[in-house]
Amino acid sequence: MAMLKTRPTRPLTYQAYDRVVGKQGRVLVLLSIMTLFLLGGIGTRLGYLQIVEGDRNRQMADENRIRLIPKPPERGKILDRKGRILAGNKFSYSVFLWPLAAKKPEWPQTVRILSRVLNIPASEIEARVKQAGVNSPSLIRIAQGITPAQIVALEEHRNFLTGVEIDREAMRFYPHGETAAHIIGYIGELNEEELAARRDQGYRLGDVMGKMGVEATYEKVLRGTWGGQQVEVDGQGKVIRILGQKVARPGNDITLSVDLDLQKAAEAALGNRPGAIVAMDPRDGSILALASYPAFDPNWFARRMTQAQWEELQRRQFPFVNRALQGFPPASTFKIVTTVAGLESGKFSPDTVLMTYPALYSGGFAFHDWNRAGFGPLGFVGAMAWSSNTFFGQVARRIGPETLIEWARRFGMGSKTGIDLPGEAAGFVPDPKWKQETFGEGWYDGDSLITAIGQGALQVSPVQAAVMFAVPANGGYKVRPHLIASENPARWRQSLNLKPSTVQVLRQGLRQVVTSGTGAALNVPEVAIAGKSGTGEDPPRPHHTWFGAYAPADKPEIVVVAFAENSGGGGGSVAGPMVLKVIQTYMKIRDR
């Protein structure tokens, strides 16, 4: 058997051992130096973070555990003159998102769930969070006024919705739906441009503001002041304790001069005709009712509008246009101004009698009386009662355009009345300068004839017409229409310094319109009414119809002007019955 030979092992000498030991020592030295270096670097960094960056890091830590829960103020209520709520608030549930608490890996799933349950595009949710900032310590409202079914659906997905909360908050509510919509207006959430413009006024993301009507005019009064809580939360986003609290201050309530019952009567009288009705106290200009059709339901804007609601609005003919504030040819109602201009010019007396004709001729054109026959000799009272175009055309010829135009402007035409609603048009009063600049020609006799009977380029709003009818009703004062209840009538009116005889002629003429003229439909036994009809041409479309009146005739308390846009028919037969219904309602409710 062969023997296994082994190689003899060389004994470890001192020199070899010394070389190994020397290397180990150097390694230990290097490790020690590196350890000291690392510890020194860490210590330096810790010192820098604590001393130099301490405040900033503490703020970042606080933002991870401290949350701001903003509490919007309860918006002030809008009340009618008897204290009934026109715009109030009710509590509903809203969905809020806290981006800082949301788990980033779960974010796409969170957005998908919210989008599906709330029926909101995912891109809209993401854009909202981006606008607020992903590190925002405040809650962001995603949806308002959610349904019980949506609440249940979100609770079922609670484990996948970190950073999502459901809370109760006040939401605007309009208990009467479309009633008085053009008076009240509506609110809406600020868009990016509005938010940027109003941020220095305390507005924030998700805030709302008045967009139309009284809601917009009195935004500062109604708005209130935000409050909120500062709370500490754990890693799951649950509140541990409240660190501080600022109570939200509600907005102030506003009482309007409008009477809800009269407003409903005006809207019922107008029905589904495009147009407007204005009811006003002639003594101080306070608006008692203001109706415009088509209208809208302001509740649709208090929460996210549905597709069906949007489509319904598209079917209506300009529902957001307040026709009570827009200009239209005033037709024969303007003969009030022509009468005043003639009597105050000194060229006519209250006893003046003029022959009326089938037509007046100027520049080869015939300006017909509406009956195409004339009415024989008439004074101012009879001419008003029968609305003779040829009578008032002769008055305009003699006094000249300057006097007629001056009195139209003294009545407030061509200027905004100053009513406390946005979107008012000034109307328009044509004059020789305008005609020269617009058409390159002078003012003709025919221009005076057509203006004297409220036609041509002349434009007057129903509110301006109500101001005009208030002048004979109150004895010669131009009033400023307003919606805020007031106990100081003198503040809202200005004397036109009319002769008592001028006022008397106006009153007699307007009363005779009802007793024996074109407004006989308003001649009822329960109340004496004075007024004037108008039929305004709007070719090639059907003409407009007007009727303005006040009552009681001997001591007026209310002026009502009705305007029907492109209704056809006559002012006395179409607009007159509307006015009568409103006046009759007023007489029934005035002492309630």
Side-chain angles (χ1 to χ4, degrees), residues 7 36 47 49 57 81 96 126 147 231 244 269 274-275 295 312 395 442 460 478 504 544 550 571 584:
R7 186 177 179 178
L36 290 173
L49 292 174
N57 289 320
R81 66 189 302 119
F96 297 87
E126 292 171 345
T147 65
V231 298
E312 172 59 26
V395 171
V460 174
K478 183 182 78 171
Q504 184 178 9
H544 309 303
Y550 56 81
Q584 289 175 326

Side-chain angles (χ1 to χ4, degrees), residues 394-469:
Q394 293 176 77
V395 171
R397 272 180 168 171
R398 190 179 300 181
I399 64 176
E402 293 78 11
T403 300
L404 183 61
I405 291 166
E406 176 192 353
W407 275 103
R409 289 175 175 160
R410 289 184 66 177
F411 269 76
M413 298 171 185
S415 302
K416 295 181 179 181
T417 65
I419 189 173
D420 39 347
L421 286 176
E424 180 185 14
F428 184 70
V429 177
D431 58 24
K433 180 181 178 182
W434 162 80
K435 191 177 181 194
Q436 183 65 47
E437 292 176 348
T438 304
F439 299 103
E441 58 185 28
W443 185 271
Y444 300 138
D445 176 59
D447 295 316
S448 294
L449 297 179
I450 202 72
T451 301
I453 60 173
Q455 294 288 172
L458 186 65
Q459 298 277 303
V460 174
S461 73
V463 166
Q464 288 174 325
V467 172
M468 177 179 66
F469 276 95

Side-chain angles (χ1 to χ4, degrees), residues 81 257 262 279-289 469-470 472-474 507 527-530 549-560 582-583 585-592:
R81 66 189 302 119
S257 56
L262 197 66
M280 184 179 75
D281 187 331
R283 296 166 293 190
D284 65 356
S286 56
I287 298 295
L288 305 175
F469 276 95
N474 62 32
R507 285 190 163 186
V527 58
I529 301 173
Y550 56 81
D554 58 339
K555 194 175 181 181
E557 300 175 17
I558 184 173
V559 162
V560 181
V582 176
I583 291 177
T585 300
Y586 173 80
M587 300 307 294
K588 292 177 182 177
I589 69 172
R590 62 176 176 172
D591 296 325
R592 291 182 187 174

Side-chain angles (χ1 to χ4, degrees), residues 341-385:
L343 292 174
E344 293 292 317
S345 71
K347 296 181 179 180
F348 296 92
S349 74
D351 300 323
T352 296
V353 174
L354 300 176
M355 179 60 69
T356 61
Y357 306 96
L360 296 177
Y361 297 90
S362 178
F365 294 94
F367 297 85
H368 293 279
D369 230 322
W370 63 268
N371 68 351
R372 300 281 174 151
F375 299 92
L378 291 175
F380 277 95
V381 172
M384 185 72 77

Side-chain angles (χ1 to χ4, degrees), residues 148-210:
Q150 290 173 318
I151 295 175
V152 171
L154 291 174
E155 289 297 335
E156 290 175 350
H157 294 87
R158 172 56 61 189
N159 294 335
F160 305 100
L161 296 175
T162 304
V164 176
E165 292 191 11
I166 301 172
D167 201 358
R168 200 171 72 135
E169 64 173 348
M171 190 174 75
R172 203 57 161 168
F173 175 61
Y174 303 92
H176 305 287
E178 294 188 14
T179 301
H182 289 94
I183 295 175
I184 302 167
Y186 65 92
I187 63 166
E189 192 170 318
L190 277 73
N191 57 37
E192 290 189 28
E193 293 76 16
E194 291 169 334
L195 181 60
R198 292 175 176 259
R199 196 179 291 276
D200 59 349
Q201 300 175 29
Y203 288 86
R204 61 187 70 193
L205 182 66
D207 213 344
V208 298
M209 64 176 289

Side-chain angles (χ1 to χ4, degrees), residues 224-288:
T225 304
W226 278 72
Q229 289 180 332
Q230 187 180 47
V231 298
E232 184 177 0
V233 297
D234 60 18
Q236 302 299 318
K238 296 180 179 179
V239 176
I240 301 174
R241 59 177 175 147
I242 297 175
L243 303 176
Q245 181 167 323
K246 178 184 177 183
V247 179
R249 182 174 60 82
N252 295 317
D253 296 343
I254 288 179
T255 299
L256 303 183
S257 56
V258 172
D259 186 287
L260 179 59
D261 294 327
L262 197 66
Q263 179 69 30
K264 290 181 177 179
E267 294 185 14
L270 188 58
N272 60 359
R273 299 182 187 89
I277 293 179
V278 178
M280 184 179 75
D281 187 331
R283 296 166 293 190
D284 65 356
S286 56
I287 298 295
L288 305 175

